[in-house]
Amino acid sequence: MENKQELGKTLDELVPNKIWFSLKEACELKNLNYKTSCNKTYLQPRKGKADGTIGGKKVWSRDTILEWVSLTDEVIKVK
């Protein structure tokens, strides 16, 4: 039922309105396995290059996540 409700939403509505996202949060949004993203850093937002760090953890801005979440693996490899 939840997926049917989400079909009509835009990407901007699906991504929570917050400033920073951890890798785990980003992976959950994209439905990417967290461990896979750790092993294949090129699949991470900006190929693993963080926008900043908070508490020693990499974080990415909402704008970065909005751009990254819609990219397929093939597009990410080419970029």
Side-chain angles (χ1 to χ4, degrees):
M1 187 76 150
E2 185 177 322
N3 287 339
K4 286 184 181 178
Q5 291 174 342
E6 289 181 358
L7 288 177
K9 292 184 177 182
T10 65
L11 185 59
D12 191 53
E13 293 171 323
L14 291 172
V15 176
N17 193 17
K18 54 192 253 178
I19 299 171
W20 300 111
F21 291 84
S22 68
L23 180 57
K24 193 168 198 169
E25 293 169 324
C27 288
E28 287 174 6
L29 284 170
K30 190 167 183 158
N31 200 26
L32 171 65
N33 184 284
Y34 175 74
K35 290 223 176 224
T36 299
S37 73
C38 290
N39 291 327
K40 298 179 180 181
T41 55
Y42 66 88
L43 292 176
Q44 295 178 11
R46 297 182 64 215
K47 296 192 178 186
K49 186 175 186 257
D51 290 334
T53 56
I54 295 178
K57 290 185 177 184
K58 291 193 227 180
V59 291
W60 289 268
S61 69
R62 186 171 191 275
D63 290 337
T64 299
I65 298 301
L66 283 169
E67 179 184 331
W68 172 79
V69 79
S70 63
L71 300 176
T72 64
D73 291 354
E74 291 77 24
V75 173
I76 290 171
K77 287 179 186 176
V78 174
K79 274 188 141 190

